[in-house]
Amino acid sequence: MPRAGQCLLWLGLVLASVCASLESAAPSNSTTGAALALAQISGPLNVLLIIVDDLRPSLGCYGDKAIRSPNIDQLASRSLLFQNAFAQQAVCAPSRVSFLTGRRPDTTRLYDFNSYWRIHAGNFSTIPQYFKENGYVTMSVGKVFHPGISSNYSDDSPYSWSFPPYHPSSEKYENTKTCRGPDGQLHANLLCPVDVADVPEGTLPDKQSTEQAIRLLEKMKTSASPFFLAVGYHKPHIPFRYPKEFQKLYPLENITLAPDPQVPAGLPPVAYNPWMDIRQREDVQALNLSVPYGPIPVDFQRKIRQSYFASVSYLDTQVGHLLSALDDLQLTNSTIIAFASDHGWALGEHGEWAKYSNFDVATRVPLMFYVPGRTAPLPEAGEELFPYIDPFDSVLELMEPGRRVMDLVELLSLSPTLAGLAGLHVPPRCPVPSFHVQLCREGQNLGKHFQLQDLGEDPHLRGNPRESIAYSQYPRPADYPQWNSDKPSLKDIKVMGYSIRTIDYRYTVWVGFDPREFLANFSDVHAGELYFVDSDPLQDHNMYNDSQGRDLLQSLMP
């Protein structure tokens, strides 16, 4: 279908203009109901940004009743929750640079882990940098930027942070032989439930990050300056290294398999990721799996899913301790809380076990915002909004999100939305191209969604989910799965998969890509995917070459 690339470009331009017109039709930042409500709070609002690694929306507040996540659910009950939020690339460094700068991967020119955007693309401002330049004390704890070349080996210091970022000392053991196997020996395994008292330093990275974040909150309690604190949690990123008691929450006999564990018959080979990173773990190597498609034995599939869910519940306790401390310090009435993940993670869907794709399981993320006095009433004196909840309690109260937004949104909207909610000027939209512009945004400001309660659910501001759209992309080194298909270096990228997600369908076209010029050739179409969400929510039946798919694509042509 040679016209598919033209169709994608045209559709993108049309829908981008629709989004821009919808946003421009909303009241300006200075006159919104949100701004008027926040004016009742004396002084600027602080920001607590919680970023989680590899967390798909497997949470109670997103409807997954099998997961024990009471503290995150409690946050959701006081927040505005975005039901359909999507990352722009399903791998750590490109996604984080994208949403922290508010630019798409094609602008940051980061598709791998091996370049620093300020040198190789443009001197783009970040959201913590913008807050810092507006009088905030900005602090980083844990994994916020991806460490290494992609953040200049400094987590973008000194640009983004008021003082050097904190990394837990125990993080250096994450990929070492600290997992005790059935043979009694220590291994570098994928599945790694541990006795915390027996691991090096007697602690785990996310525990240390929570403790450091609480120490910083205690210091900022008496500060005259507002703060922007970003806390990055490692789990549920692999290896699944977590306190072993969390396994008890998920008995193996209760763990179900993915509803679609087979590689779909119509899936183009270029779209498949062969999950090479988990194959490198000792316990997975012992399975002697075939490459690229596996499959993993059923009993081990259950163990992977069990450890992922246990890691989520462990993460939930850390979020709970952090938010409880915010309560204890009486900061909940002056602090915006944003909670997001950098991307999702496949747990056997389509026969895949990682991120590295354009499917919903890899790109869809949790995203929620608590704004004091807006998404929940201001707490009374002595009232706790976020008391710690033990996930091991036998009976947990079911908590519904404060309010859900069904519109499709993009993770790169995080930056302008936080700026607007904090009362700062929202950076302007980026021109095309924008490599020379230091401060602008390619994502929408989601502030209009926070106005609805004050404006009586005005239907003109509600928006139409059918007019919302999310873009994602993923690079490949070849048309068929190979050893570096998951994480190709820039020089090896030959194909780029550009994906459009609407409320009705996901449409992906895989086109030729020149890594030296950073150019996609939309007349060089290698493969395509089209999934109708209503009839195929799991995205298993590719209709790209079906008559129904051709009719839809033809109807979208100008």
Side-chain angles (χ1 to χ4, degrees):
M1 299 179 66
R3 302 179 70 189
Q6 301 166 12
C7 170
L8 182 76
L9 281 177
W10 176 82
L11 182 59
L13 290 171
V14 169
L15 289 172
S17 66
V18 168
C19 291
S21 65
L22 287 173
E23 185 175 357
S24 63
S28 68
N29 189 60
S30 61
T31 59
T32 62
L36 293 174
L38 294 177
Q40 300 172 6
I41 302 172
S42 61
L45 287 169
N46 307 307
V47 175
L48 173 59
L49 171 60
I50 302 172
I51 301 171
V52 185
D53 211 342
D54 288 15
L55 178 64
R56 57 195 256 164
S58 290
L59 298 165
C61 53
Y62 278 88
D64 194 332
K65 294 180 172 56
I67 305 301
R68 285 186 167 246
S69 53
N71 294 287
I72 298 172
D73 297 346
Q74 180 172 242
L75 172 61
S77 73
R78 313 237 188 260
S79 298
L80 182 63
L81 180 145
F82 289 86
Q83 186 72 19
N84 294 296
F86 292 88
Q88 277 48 76
Q89 188 177 328
V91 68
C92 301
S95 177
R96 288 167 186 259
V97 169
S98 173
F99 69 72
L100 288 168
T101 62
R103 317 276 184 120
R104 300 183 188 280
D106 276 347
T107 304
T108 66
R109 292 182 166 176
L110 180 67
Y111 313 108
D112 58 11
F113 298 80
N114 303 321
S115 67
Y116 180 42
W117 77 91
R118 293 188 190 272
I119 294 174
H120 292 276
N123 188 27
F124 308 145
S125 292
T126 68
I127 187 63
Q129 177 183 354
Y130 186 53
F131 274 81
K132 181 182 174 185
E133 291 168 351
N134 279 274
Y136 279 68
V137 176
T138 57
M139 302 165 286
S140 173
V141 172
K143 185 178 178 181
V144 178
F145 284 99
H146 191 87
I149 299 174
S150 61
S151 57
N152 203 32
Y153 297 101
S154 66
D155 296 300
D156 195 45
S157 293
Y159 297 99
S160 288
W161 311 111
S162 299
F163 35 83
Y166 169 86
H167 285 278
S169 59
S170 64
E171 131 185 318
K172 60 180 172 287
Y173 304 109
E174 276 292 280
N175 293 299
T176 61
K177 295 189 177 189
T178 58
C179 316
R180 197 165 298 281
D183 58 2
Q185 302 300 309
L186 295 177
H187 299 274
N189 284 344
L190 173 66
L191 311 180
C192 192
V194 298
D195 184 335
V196 176
D198 289 343
V199 300
E201 300 188 28
T203 189
L204 294 173
D206 287 345
K207 284 179 174 286
Q208 288 186 289
S209 290
T210 300
E211 292 161 0
Q212 174 66 8
I214 291 172
R215 285 191 289 268
L216 291 174
L217 289 174
E218 290 169 347
K219 290 181 179 179
M220 294 309 299
K221 165 71 174 173
T222 57
S223 172
S225 301
F227 66 81
F228 180 105
L229 173 59
V231 181
Y233 286 115
H234 282 265
K235 296 303 117 182
H237 193 287
I238 63 170
F240 300 125
R241 187 168 173 260
Y242 58 91
K244 63 182 182 181
E245 57 267 24
F246 284 88
Q247 273 190 323
K248 298 176 183 176
L249 295 174
Y250 302 97
L252 206 53
E253 60 269 21
N254 295 343
I255 300 297
T256 60
L257 300 178
D260 54 345
Q262 307 299 323
V263 179
L267 184 69
V270 70
Y272 185 78
N273 89 78
W275 32 280
M276 298 302 294
D277 52 356
I278 78 166
R279 294 174 187 271
Q280 297 167 14
R281 311 288 166 166
E282 290 183 32
D283 50 351
V284 179
Q285 287 178 347
L287 299 174
N288 196 27
L289 303 173
S290 63
V291 178
Y293 295 110
I296 292 177
V298 167
D299 60 339
F300 202 85
Q301 290 188 39
R302 287 195 170 91
K303 291 178 180 179
I304 295 176
R305 289 169 67 87
Q306 176 194 44
S307 277
Y308 184 93
F309 300 150
S311 296
V312 171
S313 291
Y314 163 56
L315 158 76
D316 180 79
T317 64
Q318 299 310 302
V319 173
H321 288 307
L322 178 60
L323 297 184
S324 178
L326 198 73
D327 255 343
D328 293 343
L329 294 166
Q330 299 179 354
L331 289 170
T332 48
N333 61 352
S334 58
T335 303
I336 297 167
I337 305 169
F339 180 94
S341 169
D342 53 359
H343 43 70
W345 212 81
L347 284 168
E349 294 87 358
H350 314 112
E352 296 180 322
W353 295 91
K355 46 248 188 184
Y356 315 129
S357 82
N358 284 317
F359 282 120
D360 279 14
V361 288
T363 57
R364 184 167 168 249
V365 295
L367 178 64
M368 64 188 79
F369 297 85
Y370 160 77
V371 186
R374 289 294 304 119
T375 61
L378 292 173
E380 301 289 340
E383 180 187 2
E384 290 186 327
L385 286 187
F386 304 112
Y388 177 77
I389 304 173
D390 188 344
F392 288 91
D393 285 350
S394 57
V395 178
L396 291 175
E397 179 185 354
L398 181 64
M399 286 175 281
E400 293 293 331
R403 188 161 62 84
R404 295 179 191 268
V405 174
M406 302 306 295
D407 291 26
L408 277 72
V409 301
E410 297 178 303
L411 199 50
L412 86 168
S413 291
L414 181 68
S415 291
T417 302
L418 278 178
L421 291 174
L424 304 182
H425 175 71
V426 176
R429 278 192 169 271
C430 292
V432 180
S434 64
F435 298 108
H436 61 290
V437 181
Q438 181 174 342
L439 180 64
C440 66
R441 61 185 171 94
E442 294 181 350
Q444 289 191 67
N445 172 16
L446 303 178
K448 68 176 184 178
H449 297 288
F450 295 82
Q451 303 164 27
L452 300 184
Q453 290 174 333
D454 280 350
L455 295 170
E457 299 288 343
D458 185 333
H460 297 291
L461 287 176
R462 186 197 305 267
N464 182 354
R466 296 191 180 281
E467 294 173 337
S468 59
I469 185 172
Y471 296 88
S472 303
Q473 62 187 99
Y474 209 87
R476 294 282 190 239
D479 286 333
Y480 288 87
Q482 60 185 46
W483 67 273
N484 62 341
S485 288
D486 294 347
K487 295 183 285 188
S489 296
L490 174 64
K491 64 180 177 60
D492 297 322
I493 297 172
K494 301 294 190 297
V495 186
M496 187 69 75
Y498 289 95
S499 193
I500 288 177
R501 177 65 155 84
T502 75
I503 203 72
D504 296 314
Y505 56 84
R506 176 174 288 284
Y507 170 43
T508 304
V509 62
W510 297 88
V511 300
F513 187 83
D514 182 347
R516 292 162 304 201
E517 300 296 329
F518 300 95
L519 286 178
N521 181 359
F522 283 90
S523 63
D524 178 22
V525 177
H526 291 226
E529 300 170 79
L530 179 63
Y531 306 99
F532 292 100
V533 175
D534 281 346
S535 59
D536 183 23
L538 301 178
Q539 298 166 15
D540 289 318
H541 305 287
N542 183 9
M543 306 294 286
Y544 182 76
N545 289 313
D546 186 90
S547 59
Q548 183 182 2
R550 288 195 296 270
D551 289 345
L552 172 65
L553 296 180
Q554 188 68 34
S555 71
L556 295 173
M557 294 297 295

